[in-house]
Amino acid sequence: METTTRNWHSLEASETMSALSSSRSGLSHAEAGVRLSRYGPNELVEKKKISPWTILLEQFKDFLIIILLVAAALSAVLGETADAIVIGVIVLFAAGLGFIQEYRAEKAMAALKRMAAPTASVVRDGNETEIPARELVPGDIVLIRTGDKIPADSRLVEAVNLKVEEAPLTGESVAVEKIDKPIQGEANIGDRRNMAYMGTAAVYGRGTAVVTATGMATEFGKIATMLQEVKEEQTPLQENLDKVGRWIAYGSLGLCFILAAIGVLRGHAILEMLIWGVSLAVAAVPEALPAVVTISLALGVQKMVRRHALVRKLPSVETLGSTTVICSDKTGTLTQDQMTVRRIYVDGKQIDVSGVGYEPKGEFSAKGAAFTPEQSPAFTVLLRICSLAGDASLASENGVWKMKGDPTEGALVVAAAKAGLWQKDLNSQFPRIGEIPFTSETKRMTTVHKSPQGKVAYCKGAAEVILGLCSRVFAGGVERELSAKESQEILTVAQSMASDALRVLGMAYKRLPDESGINESIERDMVFVGLAGMIDPPRGEVKEAVKLCDRASIKTVMITGDHKLTAVAIARELNILKGGGALTGAELDKMSDEEFEAVADQVEVYARVSPAHKLRVIEVLNRRGHVVAMTGDGVNDAPALKKADIGVAMGITGTDVTKEAADMVLTDDNFASIVAAVEEGRGIFGNIKKYLVYLLSCNVGEILLMAIAILFGPLLGLPAASIPLIAVQILYVNLATDGLPAIALSVDPPEPDIMGKKPRRRHETIFSKAVLGYLAGAGIWTGVVTLGVFVWAMNSGRSLAESQSMTFVTLILIEFFNAFNCRSFEHSLFKIGIASNKWLLLAMAWESVMLGLVVYLPALQGPFNTFALSLEDWVISVSAASTIFIGVEIAKFIASRAKPRSPAVSALTGNQPK
């Protein structure tokens, strides 16, 4: 018996059962037991789970966290208990947050397992019996009825009007009509209409099938395997912060201790310089960075909840800000997931229908002019057939219109309601007295009704089938002979509608004698009325969202399990397809990785793809340097969502599996909400960048101040044992700048043109040439100006304590002015608004009060070695400190007028030429 490497869909049902050593009477209980031992239970198997303790310990391997732990220990040794406690709390907070995120991320498999059917109806020893679905084995004969979940992958041996909802697996919005005949050649999962797959559900009819695969060998199992094998990549933010941590650690620690050693050689005491060096090193380490990042991300999450996006993993917010490609599922994400009639052909006219979804609001128009039922008796008859020749019904629940029944039939009912032909009223006027149900063989459905004029049969179905049943046509208010030429013209119209990705149905009727029975004879010599073309339409707001993505230089790619023709039509309407290519899964299979990678940037639509194809698309785009976001709602999307840089699941239509695998969930299933997330992400990264540039430019200034004083003090006329700041003053400057002002920058409002800029490149570090230019410029300015104040004070006859106090105050004030500079590296502070960040103003006010207390309160003057400054001292300190603000404002003004922009100016302002 063979259960693998077979294209079961291409075999006859009898050949399949023979290959599986089975028959219509099923397996014996004994044989089923043997096979259960051989193949194992029909359930999804999880790999060994990572223990919570392991996840927790992993959080402390981050390089920046290690630096902070060392800084906390050094602070404690130096007696700076408050600093040590604050750093420790920050470390625990950051580690705890990471633990919670990763622990929750491990739940995707559990959600996938919940989608499996709990029981199954099987034939064993010739008798029908119900067993736990986990006991199914290859070769079992399963019985499928309306409402059943398919318990395992199976080849249908009988299908009676069977329709299966495969959206969770393939993404198709319409239930698939199943057959039991073989399908020759290679076929994608969505085209294997004689197969039924685990996790899908029968919504109509019944069937019998032989199990071909169970457990991890099923298509669901393959998804589970991919879900567990996918390795989540570091986000751009995580990569950047890791580099920042190493750069700061190696640079600042090495430099600080070199300076301390030189200080000892210059005559300072070893213990004094050791404490001084450690203090400078602690000040150089950005201990508030994890807190600032966390606060930025957490506040971004709160804003996004108000904009219908729920973030499960905080770094995802920032990742969206650097996204270059959004791979979006079509059904339910870009489209309504509600079939809608778009076009009607009747009386020789093509009539457009407006409105989307199941809400019965819309207008009819022909060549741009309004069209009403009164203008055409045939139009009224066609809509009556739409409403009555089916089993779907429309109802309003709590103000929301919902459809019960087949989506295609539902679209027809809604079209009639838009014209005021309500199904409830029609059922009263034309009560149904019989029907001939739809079958996959006949491709039509006929209902028989009483009418004021007697019995009448209404029929709908495939256009070519309905035309084949008709000998007459209803047009111009009268019935007349249907000519071969007119029949061909109608077929041409139907083909034209189909080429626009519309699903086309024909409508016909026949008046019946009162004594006629309900049999196939009533479907002969019918009267053709017209055609109705429908589609799952795009969401109204998506087109604008795609336009915003284009403006932000983000490429939108459709990736769907639906047919290529439908996908291309929707993509064109949404302006996703702009001249690029469209590939199917089958075409993708024929391409090597090198061939695919060469064209990947040009492809805008992927159709008829499997979960493996989606993963391959994301992997190739990643190799091309793209930051990829993937949206989706079905189980088939879960592995790709986990593999993508950011996975975005749909909150309403999305499965639990998809939500657990995703980084973010859209609570309104609206693609447009992603654009809001992109804006938030860009704003958050911008604020983290502002904080880092502010902090490090300050640190560079502090280190340069101390380095120049120690290395070149005698040349500047400074006494041998004089240094600009003592250890405790360095630590206070660190507290004043790393604290509230930095946190206030992390909540700065986004700049007005934030969505007009290109995304950052994937591996682009925060420390671009422009940023390094600003760090150097601002750092040198800070160090030189502050040192100049110290040298002037010492040479003007002031004491060392007073000179150090002036230097201390000047350094803090220049860093305050620098914080205002860092609010925007392109726009003037006066353009973005001085008061637009009230938190920064409050932080400055608080720190100014604290600085006044440190300078003038006698109880603090001793510990901080400060001196009560005179008005003249303050004027000099404030004037010197303000030069950094004035200089940068002038540079921004010059940059805004420069054409082309000068590289030197760009470096100073921290902006790259556009």
Side-chain angles (χ1 to χ4, degrees), residues 144-162:
I144 302 169
R145 300 182 179 89
T146 300
D148 286 351
K149 277 189 175 181
I150 308 301
D153 288 5
S154 311
R155 166 67 163 91
L156 289 162
V157 297
E158 181 185 31
V160 181
N161 301 328
L162 181 62

Side-chain angles (χ1 to χ4, degrees), residues 638-666:
L641 260 61
K642 192 171 183 182
K643 174 64 178 176
D645 297 286
I646 175 163
V648 185
M650 301 297 110
I652 299 172
T653 58
T655 60
D656 286 346
V657 184
T658 314
K659 292 173 189 175
E660 293 292 348
D663 303 293
M664 188 173 79
V665 179
L666 301 182

Side-chain angles (χ1 to χ4, degrees), residues 276-612:
W276 181 89
V278 170
S279 299
L280 191 57
V282 169
V285 173
E287 65 265 22
L289 180 57
V292 169
V293 172
T294 301
I295 290 169
S296 297
L297 296 176
L299 290 175
V301 167
Q302 289 180 8
K303 291 180 185 176
M304 290 175 66
V305 167
R306 294 193 290 270
R307 300 175 82 170
H308 308 292
L310 178 65
V311 175
R312 298 182 65 252
K313 301 175 185 177
L314 285 183
S316 307
V317 183
E318 180 275 332
T319 310
L320 266 174
S322 57
T323 297
T324 58
V325 178
I326 299 176
C327 291
S328 177
D329 188 41
K330 177 183 72 69
T331 306
T333 308
L334 297 171
T335 65
Q336 296 278 347
D337 198 16
Q338 296 178 349
M339 294 295 286
T340 304
V341 174
R342 276 283 186 85
R343 202 177 305 161
I344 289 172
Y345 175 78
V346 69
D347 252 349
K349 301 183 184 73
Q350 292 207 40
I351 300 164
D352 295 316
V353 187
S354 67
V356 294
Y358 294 145
E359 187 174 12
K361 289 183 180 179
E363 305 293 333
F364 300 92
S365 62
K367 294 183 179 179
F371 191 89
T372 62
E374 292 76 20
Q375 293 175 248
S376 168
F379 184 59
T380 302
V381 173
L382 180 138
L383 292 178
R384 187 187 304 152
I385 297 170
C386 285
S387 189
L388 295 175
D391 296 320
S393 61
L394 179 68
S396 177
E397 298 178 10
N398 299 319
V400 178
W401 290 94
K402 294 187 177 181
M403 182 58 58
K404 294 180 180 178
D406 183 80
T408 301
E409 292 185 346
L412 299 174
V413 173
V414 173
K418 287 177 181 178
L421 299 178
W422 294 93
Q423 190 181 54
K424 183 178 179 181
D425 298 334
L426 292 173
N427 282 332
S428 298
Q429 298 172 36
F430 304 90
R432 186 187 298 190
I433 57 175
E435 67 180 78
I436 300 176
F438 174 91
T439 67
S440 56
E441 287 75 27
T442 63
K443 295 185 178 179
R444 62 182 181 265
M445 178 179 184
T446 302
T447 56
V448 180
H449 302 261
K450 284 183 180 179
S451 78
Q453 293 77 34
K455 287 172 66 174
V456 63
Y458 292 140
C459 184
K460 75 170 191 313
E464 66 278 8
V465 171
I466 298 300
L467 268 173
L469 301 174
C470 297
S471 59
R472 300 173 67 77
V473 62
F474 186 53
V478 297
E479 293 182 15
R480 56 178 171 76
E481 196 77 20
L482 177 65
S483 66
K485 180 182 178 183
E486 191 171 8
S487 181
Q488 185 56 49
E489 287 174 354
I490 294 169
L491 279 176
T492 301
V493 172
Q495 289 165 1
S496 173
M497 292 169 73
S499 68
D500 290 334
L502 297 177
R503 186 177 188 189
V504 185
L505 295 181
M507 312 293 164
Y509 73 90
K510 181 179 181 180
R511 302 196 181 280
L512 304 173
D514 289 339
E515 67 278 3
S516 64
I518 299 174
N519 51 54
E520 290 187 1
S521 65
I522 67 174
E523 296 179 326
R524 299 194 197 106
D525 295 320
M526 301 195 85
V527 181
F528 183 80
V529 181
L531 304 169
M534 66 206 74
I535 196 171
D536 178 15
R539 291 175 175 269
E541 61 279 358
V542 168
K543 192 168 186 177
E544 187 62 30
V546 171
K547 190 184 296 183
L548 284 174
C549 285
D550 291 340
R551 185 173 154 234
S553 300
I554 299 169
K555 181 181 178 182
T556 306
V557 174
M558 179 188 290
I559 182 164
T560 177
D562 213 340
H563 293 279
K564 185 175 182 178
L565 189 66
T566 305
V568 166
I570 295 291
R572 212 169 257 132
E573 184 171 346
L574 291 173
N575 204 30
I576 291 173
L577 195 61
K578 308 178 184 69
L583 285 177
T584 64
E587 292 167 338
L588 205 54
D589 285 334
K590 296 175 183 176
M591 300 174 75
S592 67
D593 285 345
E594 292 74 18
E595 290 171 331
F596 179 34
E597 196 165 335
V599 301
D601 282 342
Q602 283 73 53
V603 181
E604 293 166 331
V605 174
Y606 296 91
R608 229 57 185 145
V609 295
S610 68

